[in-house]
Amino acid sequence: MPYLSFAAVCLLFGSNFYLMSLSLQAFGPVAVGAGRVLGAAAVMLLLWRLLSPTERVPRDKLAGCLGFGLLANGYPYVMQPYLIEQAKQIGGGAGHSFFGMMVAFTPLLTIMVSPVMLGVWPTRRQLVGVVGGLGFMALLLEDGSQRGITPAMLAMAFSVPLSYAVANTYLRRSLSDVASVPLSATMLLAPAAVLLPLAVSTPLLEPISLAGPAVRQNLPVALAAVSLLGVLGTGITMWLFVRMVQQQGPLFAGMVTYVVPLVALSWGVFDGEQITTKQQIAIAGVLSMVALVQFGSASKQAATQNAGTEGARRAEPPSPREADAAAGELGELSASVANR
Protein backbone atom coordinates (compact mmCIF):
# COMPACT_ATOMS: atom_id res chain seq x y z
CA MET A 1 0.00 0.00 0.00
CA PRO A 2 2.73 2.58 0.76
CA TYR A 3 4.28 1.95 -2.65
CA LEU A 4 0.94 2.51 -4.34
CA SER A 5 0.59 5.79 -2.44
CA PHE A 6 4.12 6.74 -3.45
CA ALA A 7 3.43 6.00 -7.12
CA ALA A 8 0.12 7.90 -6.98
CA VAL A 9 1.72 10.99 -5.43
CA CYS A 10 4.52 11.02 -8.01
CA LEU A 11 2.14 10.58 -10.94
CA LEU A 12 -0.45 13.09 -9.73
CA PHE A 13 1.96 15.78 -8.60
CA GLY A 14 4.14 15.41 -11.69
CA SER A 15 1.06 15.69 -13.92
CA ASN A 16 -0.10 18.98 -12.42
CA PHE A 17 2.00 21.08 -14.78
CA TYR A 18 0.47 19.48 -17.86
CA LEU A 19 -2.99 19.97 -16.33
CA MET A 20 -2.21 23.65 -15.82
CA SER A 21 -1.28 23.93 -19.49
CA LEU A 22 -4.58 22.35 -20.53
CA SER A 23 -6.53 24.60 -18.16
CA LEU A 24 -5.02 27.73 -19.70
CA GLN A 25 -6.85 27.04 -22.96
CA ALA A 26 -9.98 28.53 -21.41
CA PHE A 27 -8.98 30.15 -18.10
CA GLY A 28 -6.45 32.67 -16.87
CA PRO A 29 -3.78 31.96 -14.25
CA VAL A 30 -5.84 33.36 -11.37
CA ALA A 31 -8.89 31.30 -12.37
CA VAL A 32 -6.71 28.18 -12.62
CA GLY A 33 -5.28 28.86 -9.17
CA ALA A 34 -8.73 29.53 -7.74
CA GLY A 35 -10.13 26.33 -9.21
CA ARG A 36 -7.18 24.36 -7.88
CA VAL A 37 -7.59 25.75 -4.37
CA LEU A 38 -11.35 25.24 -4.43
CA GLY A 39 -11.09 21.59 -5.46
CA ALA A 40 -8.38 20.86 -2.94
CA ALA A 41 -10.27 22.62 -0.15
CA ALA A 42 -13.38 20.56 -0.89
CA VAL A 43 -11.36 17.34 -0.56
CA MET A 44 -9.61 18.39 2.64
CA LEU A 45 -12.79 19.65 4.30
CA LEU A 46 -14.49 16.34 3.49
CA LEU A 47 -11.54 14.38 4.91
CA TRP A 48 -11.57 16.61 8.00
CA ARG A 49 -15.24 15.84 8.48
CA LEU A 50 -14.79 12.09 8.00
CA LEU A 51 -11.43 11.41 9.64
CA SER A 52 -10.88 13.96 12.40
CA PRO A 53 -14.03 16.00 13.08
CA THR A 54 -13.01 16.85 16.65
CA GLU A 55 -9.57 18.24 15.79
CA ARG A 56 -9.15 21.98 15.41
CA VAL A 57 -6.49 24.54 14.60
CA PRO A 58 -5.72 26.40 17.85
CA ARG A 59 -6.83 30.02 17.80
CA ASP A 60 -3.35 31.33 18.48
CA LYS A 61 -2.13 29.44 15.38
CA LEU A 62 -4.96 30.48 13.06
CA ALA A 63 -3.41 33.69 11.69
CA GLY A 64 -0.11 31.96 10.98
CA CYS A 65 -1.92 29.08 9.32
CA LEU A 66 -3.83 31.41 6.98
CA GLY A 67 -0.69 33.37 6.12
CA PHE A 68 1.15 30.11 5.53
CA GLY A 69 -1.63 29.08 3.15
CA LEU A 70 -1.25 32.24 1.07
CA LEU A 71 2.47 31.68 0.72
CA ALA A 72 2.37 27.93 0.12
CA ASN A 73 -0.88 27.56 -1.84
CA GLY A 74 -1.86 30.99 -3.11
CA TYR A 75 1.19 32.55 -4.72
CA PRO A 76 2.61 29.36 -6.36
CA TYR A 77 -0.78 28.24 -7.69
CA VAL A 78 -1.10 31.49 -9.66
CA MET A 79 2.55 32.01 -10.56
CA GLN A 80 3.05 28.56 -12.10
CA PRO A 81 0.22 28.81 -14.68
CA TYR A 82 1.20 32.42 -15.36
CA LEU A 83 4.75 31.37 -16.27
CA ILE A 84 3.49 28.48 -18.39
CA GLU A 85 1.20 30.85 -20.30
CA GLN A 86 3.98 33.40 -20.84
CA ALA A 87 6.33 30.69 -22.10
CA LYS A 88 3.70 29.58 -24.61
CA GLN A 89 3.43 33.12 -25.94
CA ILE A 90 7.21 33.40 -26.32
CA GLY A 91 7.28 30.16 -28.29
CA GLY A 92 10.90 29.29 -27.63
CA GLY A 93 10.20 25.64 -26.89
CA ALA A 94 10.12 25.93 -23.09
CA GLY A 95 6.82 24.93 -21.55
CA HIS A 96 5.17 23.32 -18.56
CA SER A 97 7.88 20.67 -18.17
CA PHE A 98 10.57 23.37 -17.79
CA PHE A 99 8.75 24.91 -14.83
CA GLY A 100 7.86 21.48 -13.46
CA MET A 101 11.55 20.81 -12.95
CA MET A 102 11.90 23.82 -10.66
CA VAL A 103 10.22 21.97 -7.79
CA ALA A 104 13.38 19.86 -7.44
CA PHE A 105 15.16 22.85 -5.92
CA THR A 106 12.79 23.12 -2.93
CA PRO A 107 14.70 20.80 -0.55
CA LEU A 108 17.97 22.60 -1.18
CA LEU A 109 16.39 26.04 -0.77
CA THR A 110 14.76 24.85 2.46
CA ILE A 111 18.23 24.14 3.83
CA MET A 112 19.33 27.61 2.70
CA VAL A 113 16.63 29.45 4.66
CA SER A 114 16.87 27.26 7.77
CA PRO A 115 19.71 29.24 9.43
CA VAL A 116 17.64 32.42 9.38
CA MET A 117 14.28 30.91 10.32
CA LEU A 118 15.27 27.95 12.49
CA GLY A 119 18.75 28.87 13.68
CA VAL A 120 19.99 25.51 12.34
CA TRP A 121 23.07 25.68 10.15
CA PRO A 122 23.62 23.12 7.39
CA THR A 123 26.20 20.40 7.71
CA ARG A 124 29.18 20.28 5.36
CA ARG A 125 27.39 17.69 3.21
CA GLN A 126 24.27 19.83 3.01
CA LEU A 127 26.31 22.93 2.14
CA VAL A 128 27.98 21.08 -0.73
CA GLY A 129 24.55 19.94 -1.91
CA VAL A 130 23.14 23.47 -1.81
CA VAL A 131 26.10 25.03 -3.65
CA GLY A 132 26.09 22.26 -6.24
CA GLY A 133 22.33 22.56 -6.67
CA LEU A 134 22.60 26.29 -7.26
CA GLY A 135 25.23 25.62 -9.90
CA PHE A 136 22.91 23.28 -11.76
CA MET A 137 20.11 25.80 -11.34
CA ALA A 138 22.30 28.34 -13.12
CA LEU A 139 22.66 25.87 -16.00
CA LEU A 140 18.89 25.42 -16.15
CA LEU A 141 18.31 29.18 -16.07
CA GLU A 142 20.86 29.67 -18.85
CA ASP A 143 19.00 27.11 -20.94
CA GLY A 144 15.77 29.00 -20.33
CA SER A 145 17.32 32.34 -21.29
CA GLN A 146 18.56 30.87 -24.57
CA ARG A 147 15.00 29.80 -25.35
CA GLY A 148 13.48 33.23 -24.84
CA ILE A 149 12.61 33.11 -21.14
CA THR A 150 13.27 36.60 -19.78
CA PRO A 151 15.31 37.27 -16.62
CA ALA A 152 12.13 38.44 -14.88
CA MET A 153 10.39 35.15 -15.69
CA LEU A 154 13.40 33.18 -14.50
CA ALA A 155 13.36 35.11 -11.22
CA MET A 156 9.66 34.41 -10.81
CA ALA A 157 10.23 30.73 -11.58
CA PHE A 158 12.93 30.65 -8.90
CA SER A 159 10.58 32.37 -6.45
CA VAL A 160 8.11 29.44 -6.52
CA PRO A 161 10.38 26.82 -4.89
CA LEU A 162 11.72 29.60 -2.65
CA SER A 163 8.19 30.33 -1.42
CA TYR A 164 7.73 26.62 -0.74
CA ALA A 165 11.01 26.56 1.17
CA VAL A 166 10.05 29.51 3.38
CA ALA A 167 6.58 28.07 3.98
CA ASN A 168 7.99 24.63 4.79
CA THR A 169 10.41 26.10 7.30
CA TYR A 170 7.69 28.18 8.93
CA LEU A 171 5.56 25.04 9.14
CA ARG A 172 8.39 23.22 10.88
CA ARG A 173 9.04 26.12 13.26
CA SER A 174 5.54 27.25 14.21
CA LEU A 175 2.87 24.77 13.05
CA SER A 176 4.40 21.32 13.53
CA ASP A 177 2.14 20.64 16.52
CA VAL A 178 -1.11 21.28 14.58
CA ALA A 179 -3.07 18.23 13.38
CA SER A 180 -2.32 17.66 9.69
CA VAL A 181 -5.84 17.43 8.22
CA PRO A 182 -7.25 20.57 9.92
CA LEU A 183 -4.01 22.39 9.07
CA SER A 184 -4.18 21.40 5.39
CA ALA A 185 -7.86 22.35 5.14
CA THR A 186 -7.48 25.67 6.94
CA MET A 187 -4.45 26.80 4.99
CA LEU A 188 -6.50 26.49 1.78
CA LEU A 189 -9.15 28.92 3.03
CA ALA A 190 -7.01 32.06 2.78
CA PRO A 191 -6.00 31.63 -0.89
CA ALA A 192 -9.59 30.63 -1.73
CA ALA A 193 -10.92 33.82 -0.13
CA VAL A 194 -8.42 35.92 -2.11
CA LEU A 195 -8.39 34.14 -5.48
CA LEU A 196 -12.09 33.42 -6.00
CA PRO A 197 -13.13 37.13 -6.06
CA LEU A 198 -10.09 37.99 -8.20
CA ALA A 199 -10.92 35.27 -10.71
CA VAL A 200 -14.10 37.10 -11.73
CA SER A 201 -12.49 40.57 -11.73
CA THR A 202 -11.53 40.55 -15.41
CA PRO A 203 -10.98 44.34 -15.80
CA LEU A 204 -8.55 44.24 -12.89
CA LEU A 205 -6.60 41.27 -14.26
CA GLU A 206 -6.37 42.18 -17.95
CA PRO A 207 -3.63 44.85 -17.62
CA ILE A 208 -1.31 42.37 -15.85
CA SER A 209 -1.95 39.39 -18.18
CA LEU A 210 -3.84 37.32 -15.61
CA ALA A 211 -7.32 37.41 -17.12
CA GLY A 212 -7.01 34.51 -19.54
CA PRO A 213 -7.78 34.17 -23.26
CA ALA A 214 -10.31 36.47 -24.91
CA VAL A 215 -11.85 33.44 -26.63
CA ARG A 216 -12.04 30.23 -24.63
CA GLN A 217 -10.93 27.10 -26.43
CA ASN A 218 -11.62 23.47 -25.54
CA LEU A 219 -13.74 24.46 -22.56
CA PRO A 220 -14.72 20.89 -21.58
CA VAL A 221 -11.06 19.82 -21.57
CA ALA A 222 -10.05 22.89 -19.57
CA LEU A 223 -12.82 22.33 -17.01
CA ALA A 224 -11.83 18.70 -16.61
CA ALA A 225 -8.17 19.71 -16.21
CA VAL A 226 -8.95 22.28 -13.50
CA SER A 227 -11.11 19.75 -11.67
CA LEU A 228 -8.42 17.06 -11.79
CA LEU A 229 -5.79 19.62 -10.78
CA GLY A 230 -7.72 20.59 -7.65
CA VAL A 231 -9.32 17.35 -6.52
CA LEU A 232 -6.68 14.78 -7.47
CA GLY A 233 -3.50 16.72 -8.19
CA THR A 234 -3.70 18.81 -5.03
CA GLY A 235 -6.31 17.59 -2.54
CA ILE A 236 -5.82 13.82 -2.74
CA THR A 237 -2.08 14.20 -3.34
CA MET A 238 -1.69 16.37 -0.24
CA TRP A 239 -3.56 13.83 1.89
CA LEU A 240 -1.61 10.84 0.53
CA PHE A 241 1.68 12.62 1.07
CA VAL A 242 0.88 13.52 4.67
CA ARG A 243 -0.13 9.90 5.29
CA MET A 244 3.18 8.68 3.87
CA VAL A 245 5.10 11.00 6.17
CA GLN A 246 3.09 9.81 9.17
CA GLN A 247 3.15 6.08 8.37
CA GLN A 248 6.47 5.55 6.54
CA GLY A 249 8.54 8.48 7.72
CA PRO A 250 9.89 11.58 5.98
CA LEU A 251 12.76 9.79 4.23
CA PHE A 252 10.43 7.48 2.29
CA ALA A 253 8.01 10.31 1.47
CA GLY A 254 10.83 12.65 0.50
CA MET A 255 11.90 10.31 -2.28
CA VAL A 256 9.09 11.73 -4.43
CA THR A 257 11.48 14.65 -5.03
CA TYR A 258 13.43 12.39 -7.39
CA VAL A 259 10.45 11.24 -9.43
CA VAL A 260 8.16 14.27 -9.80
CA PRO A 261 10.45 16.23 -12.19
CA LEU A 262 10.86 13.12 -14.33
CA VAL A 263 7.08 12.76 -14.59
CA ALA A 264 6.83 16.44 -15.54
CA LEU A 265 9.48 15.94 -18.23
CA SER A 266 7.63 12.89 -19.55
CA TRP A 267 4.46 14.93 -19.97
CA GLY A 268 6.53 17.54 -21.78
CA VAL A 269 7.75 14.91 -24.25
CA PHE A 270 4.17 13.68 -24.67
CA ASP A 271 3.02 17.24 -25.36
CA GLY A 272 5.70 17.82 -27.97
CA GLU A 273 7.89 20.16 -25.92
CA GLN A 274 11.58 20.48 -26.69
CA ILE A 275 13.68 18.84 -23.96
CA THR A 276 17.28 20.02 -24.30
CA THR A 277 20.50 18.34 -23.24
CA LYS A 278 21.14 21.15 -20.76
CA GLN A 279 17.78 20.49 -19.13
CA GLN A 280 18.61 16.82 -18.74
CA ILE A 281 22.04 17.55 -17.28
CA ALA A 282 20.62 20.18 -14.93
CA ILE A 283 17.85 18.00 -13.53
CA ALA A 284 20.20 15.01 -13.16
CA GLY A 285 22.64 17.24 -11.31
CA VAL A 286 20.00 18.72 -9.00
CA LEU A 287 18.64 15.30 -8.12
CA SER A 288 22.17 14.07 -7.39
CA MET A 289 22.62 17.00 -4.99
CA VAL A 290 19.32 16.16 -3.29
CA ALA A 291 20.52 12.56 -3.00
CA LEU A 292 23.77 13.82 -1.47
CA VAL A 293 21.84 15.83 1.12
CA GLN A 294 19.56 12.93 1.98
CA PHE A 295 22.30 10.29 2.09
CA GLY A 296 22.55 8.88 5.58
CA SER A 297 19.59 10.90 6.85
CA ALA A 298 17.89 7.79 8.19
CA SER A 299 20.79 7.11 10.56
CA LYS A 300 20.94 10.79 11.49
CA GLN A 301 17.24 10.75 12.33
CA ALA A 302 17.83 7.84 14.67
CA ALA A 303 20.79 9.67 16.18
CA THR A 304 18.61 12.73 16.71
CA GLN A 305 15.96 10.68 18.49
CA ASN A 306 18.59 9.00 20.69
CA ALA A 307 20.24 12.34 21.38
CA GLY A 308 16.92 13.88 22.35
CA THR A 309 16.21 11.03 24.77
CA GLU A 310 19.70 11.17 26.28
CA GLY A 311 19.57 14.98 26.51
CA ALA A 312 16.24 14.81 28.32
CA ARG A 313 17.73 12.36 30.84
CA ARG A 314 20.75 14.56 31.47
CA ALA A 315 18.78 17.83 31.33
CA GLU A 316 21.80 19.32 29.53
CA PRO A 317 22.13 21.39 26.35
CA PRO A 318 22.75 19.35 23.18
CA SER A 319 26.33 18.63 22.25
CA PRO A 320 27.80 19.66 18.86
CA ARG A 321 27.32 16.09 17.69
CA GLU A 322 23.66 16.22 18.68
CA ALA A 323 23.29 19.56 16.91
CA ASP A 324 24.79 17.99 13.78
CA ALA A 325 22.25 15.20 14.04
CA ALA A 326 19.49 17.80 14.29
CA ALA A 327 20.80 19.44 11.13
CA GLY A 328 20.68 16.05 9.43
CA GLU A 329 17.06 15.68 10.45
CA LEU A 330 16.36 19.12 8.98
CA GLY A 331 17.71 17.99 5.62
CA GLU A 332 15.45 14.96 5.63
CA LEU A 333 12.40 16.92 6.70
CA SER A 334 13.05 19.65 4.13
CA ALA A 335 12.83 17.05 1.37
CA SER A 336 9.75 15.40 2.82
CA VAL A 337 7.59 18.52 2.99
CA ALA A 338 8.72 19.99 -0.29
CA ASN A 339 5.95 18.69 -2.48
CA ARG A 340 2.45 20.03 -2.48
Side-chain angles (χ1 to χ4, degrees):
M1 184 62 183
Y3 294 101
L4 290 177
S5 297
F6 180 89
V9 168
C10 293
L11 177 61
L12 292 173
F13 189 76
S15 302
N16 281 350
F17 304 94
Y18 179 52
L19 292 175
M20 291 181 216
S21 180
L22 293 177
S23 302
L24 290 168
Q25 296 178 90
F27 303 105
V30 174
V32 172
R36 182 177 182 181
V37 168
L38 189 62
V43 172
M44 295 310 302
L45 289 172
L46 178 62
L47 291 172
W48 188 1
R49 175 72 176 176
L50 294 176
L51 302 179
S52 52
T54 60
E55 294 180 329
R56 296 289 185 272
V57 176
R59 289 186 178 181
D60 61 329
K61 304 280 188 178
L62 190 58
C65 181
L66 294 174
F68 167 70
L70 281 174
L71 184 62
N73 301 115
Y75 174 76
Y77 290 2
V78 173
M79 183 55 64
Q80 287 171 332
Y82 170 77
L83 291 170
I84 292 171
E85 182 180 53
Q86 293 300 306
K88 282 183 177 181
Q89 294 178 5
I90 292 172
H96 50 83
S97 63
F98 178 86
F99 299 106
M101 292 189 300
M102 299 297 291
V103 72
F105 293 101
T106 308
L108 303 178
L109 293 175
T110 302
I111 294 173
M112 283 184 60
V113 302
S114 65
V116 176
M117 299 186 65
L118 294 178
V120 177
W121 290 88
T123 64
R124 185 176 302 175
R125 181 188 299 275
Q126 291 170 344
L127 187 60
V128 171
V130 168
V131 173
L134 292 178
F136 286 111
M137 171 174 275
L139 179 63
L140 183 62
L141 297 182
E142 180 191 1
D143 176 73
S145 66
Q146 292 178 349
R147 299 163 73 182
I149 305 297
T150 66
M153 290 177 61
L154 293 173
M156 287 185 284
F158 180 80
S159 72
V160 171
L162 182 60
S163 71
Y164 282 142
V166 173
N168 291 341
T169 310
Y170 179 81
L171 172 64
R172 174 65 175 166
R173 186 187 71 182
S174 303
L175 299 174
S176 59
D177 58 337
V178 181
S180 59
V181 175
L183 172 64
S184 300
T186 304
M187 75 183 196
L188 290 165
L189 296 179
V194 173
L195 295 181
L196 287 175
L198 280 177
V200 296
S201 303
T202 303
L204 182 64
L205 298 178
E206 283 180 342
I208 52 177
S209 303
L210 292 174
V215 179
R216 291 179 175 176
Q217 300 177 352
N218 298 328
L219 182 58
V221 173
L223 281 171
V226 170
S227 301
L228 290 173
L229 181 62
V231 174
L232 292 179
T234 306
I236 295 297
T237 301
M238 185 182 296
W239 177 62
L240 289 174
F241 187 81
V242 169
R243 284 189 63 196
M244 281 198 300
V245 173
Q246 292 173 335
Q247 296 178 5
Q248 302 297 322
L251 179 62
F252 179 85
M255 297 298 287
V256 302
T257 306
Y258 302 106
V259 183
V260 166
L262 302 180
V263 175
L265 279 175
S266 299
W267 278 115
V269 173
F270 172 80
D271 201 28
E273 293 185 353
Q274 179 185 358
I275 309 300
T276 66
T277 302
K278 285 185 178 180
Q279 274 184 281
Q280 298 174 36
I281 294 174
I283 195 61
V286 170
L287 294 180
S288 68
M289 292 300 101
V290 174
L292 177 68
V293 166
Q294 286 190 284
F295 179 77
S297 60
S299 60
K300 288 182 179 180
Q301 182 186 29
T304 303
Q305 294 170 347
N306 294 335
T309 303
E310 182 65 22
R313 278 202 303 267
R314 297 194 314 259
E316 296 175 357
S319 67
R321 185 175 180 179
E322 293 167 357
D324 182 72
E329 182 188 18
L330 170 65
E332 180 183 351
L333 289 172
S334 69
S336 73
V337 297
N339 306 287
R340 287 194 172 80

